[in-house]
Amino acid sequence: LWRLRGLMDKVIGGPGLRRGRRDQNSVVVGDALDFWRVVEVKPGETLTLRAEMKLPGTALLDFEVRRDGRGCCLATTARFQPRGLAGILYWYSVLPLHVLVFRGMLQGLKQVAERNAAAAQAS
């Protein structure tokens, strides 16, 4: 679904998914990540991305690491400020897809984090 959204964005003149990263292991404000731009980063705590894809509104995606005595939890919040009726219709039409995309994204991030943690313990 993410690749399909990137293709759709490219077709209508947006950046699509094919933008390189400055660094594979870290991000700084201003970096491009697919069709997102880093607008805030506090390493190990929060990351806020702004969508640069063609949208009838402004979209932000927040990631927040919450630590507790057993480990940590990653919270993700998608925010959208629609522009007019087209923006409202867009948001509600893609809402079911966002559930699938974000669930899959979080599962992938969890797997990478667990692999990294296991590798760190092994060394």
Side-chain angles (χ1 to χ4, degrees):
L1 291 174
W2 204 251
R3 285 188 194 110
L4 178 61
R5 179 61 176 101
L7 176 64
M8 290 169 41
D9 187 60
K10 192 82 161 170
V11 166
I12 62 172
L17 291 176
R18 299 285 181 220
R19 296 194 297 182
R21 287 189 53 187
R22 177 192 57 78
D23 184 323
Q24 287 298 108
N25 298 310
S26 66
V27 295
V28 296
V29 171
D31 277 358
L33 303 172
D34 293 337
F35 39 63
W36 300 92
R37 180 73 55 183
V38 177
V39 294
E40 183 180 3
V41 62
K42 294 178 188 166
E45 295 178 26
T46 62
L47 172 67
T48 300
L49 306 174
R50 184 187 70 245
E52 292 189 328
M53 64 192 94
K54 297 286 187 177
L55 293 170
T58 303
L60 296 172
L61 184 57
D62 297 313
F63 296 90
E64 179 185 1
V65 176
R66 298 176 184 157
R67 292 172 178 21
D68 63 22
R70 300 170 303 175
C72 61
C73 175
L74 178 62
T76 305
T77 305
R79 295 180 284 155
F80 187 69
Q81 180 66 46
R83 254 190 330 267
L85 181 59
I88 294 168
L89 293 173
Y90 167 82
W91 182 252
Y92 285 106
S93 69
V94 298
L95 195 56
L97 298 175
H98 282 152
V99 172
L100 296 172
V101 169
F102 292 142
R103 186 176 291 145
M105 178 183 57
L106 288 171
Q107 185 61 36
L109 289 169
K110 177 181 182 244
Q111 290 171 354
V112 169
E114 288 172 344
R115 266 196 316 270
N116 290 346
Q121 286 180 344
S123 59

